[in-house]
């Protein structure tokens, strides 16, 4: 739009995306109301799952532009892994362990670019670990041991 006017895009069946409003705010499916925050979503939020196999001890998992990574241990026993840095401060990352781990956990430990409670976390089928990137470190937000 011009001079802060609202731009409305109706290319999505049964929804809309509203950009602008003179405040650099984005609203998804918010019409007829303008978004009140930088991003307002009227509906569910889904994160596409990236499936990653841990095939060797000490493997580094590339996070990249992802927020949900499901890990499977295909080694012959329990093993450790590492993750790369985040892209931008505020990036959220959820790690889960697939049920098909066959009881063989994978372990993520604290290091130069990650700080975890108790120094690390064993992930096994159904376990989750949620992290946030602060620009130089992954910091733990939560962990859950959901046995499957």
């Amino acid at each position: 739009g011009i001079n802060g006017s609202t731009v409305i895009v109706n290319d999505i069946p049964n929804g809309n995306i509203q950009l602008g409003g003179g405040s650099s705010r984005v609203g998804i499916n918010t019409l007829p109301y303008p978004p009140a925050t930088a991003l307002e979503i009227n509906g569910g939020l889904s994160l596409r799952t990236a499936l990653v196999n841990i095939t060797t001890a000490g493997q580094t998992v590339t996070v990249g532009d992802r927020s949900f990574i499901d890990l499977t241990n295909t080694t012959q026993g329990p093993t450790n892994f590492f993750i790369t840095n985040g892209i931008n401060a505020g990036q959220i990352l959820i790690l889960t362990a697939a049920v098909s781990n066959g009881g063989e956990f994978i372990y993520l430990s604290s290091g130069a670019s990650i700080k975890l409670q108790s120094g690390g976390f064993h992930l096994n089928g159904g376990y989750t670990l949620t992290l946030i990137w602060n620009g130089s470190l992954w910091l733990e937000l939560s962990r859950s041991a959901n046995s499957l």
Side-chain angles (χ1 to χ4, degrees), residues 10-16 29:
N10 283 312
D11 293 331
I12 302 170
N14 303 315
N16 65 74
N29 201 27

Side-chain angles (χ1 to χ4, degrees), residues 34-57:
T37 58
L39 174 63
E40 184 175 333
I41 302 171
N42 181 13
L45 174 66
S46 299
L47 301 174
R48 178 108 3 133
T49 306
L51 303 173
V52 175
N53 290 324
I54 302 297
T55 58
T56 60

Side-chain angles (χ1 to χ4, degrees), residues 62-109:
T62 300
V63 175
D65 187 20
R66 299 187 261 182
S67 287
F68 185 28
I69 299 176
D70 191 17
L71 302 158
T72 300
N73 182 7
T74 60
T75 68
Q76 295 300 311
T79 192
N80 64 317
F81 72 101
F82 304 97
I83 59 175
T84 59
N85 293 346
I87 293 176
N88 198 40
Q91 181 177 358
I92 302 288
L93 177 62
I94 301 169
L95 299 172
T96 62
V99 177
S100 61
N101 280 346
E104 301 295 351
F105 65 81
I106 47 181
Y107 185 75
L108 180 64
S109 61

Side-chain angles (χ1 to χ4, degrees), residues 7-30:
V7 176
I8 299 172
V9 179
N10 283 312
D11 293 331
I12 302 170
N14 303 315
N16 65 74
I17 298 176
Q18 181 178 15
L19 304 172
S23 60
S24 298
R25 296 179 180 153
V26 176
I28 300 174
N29 201 27
T30 61

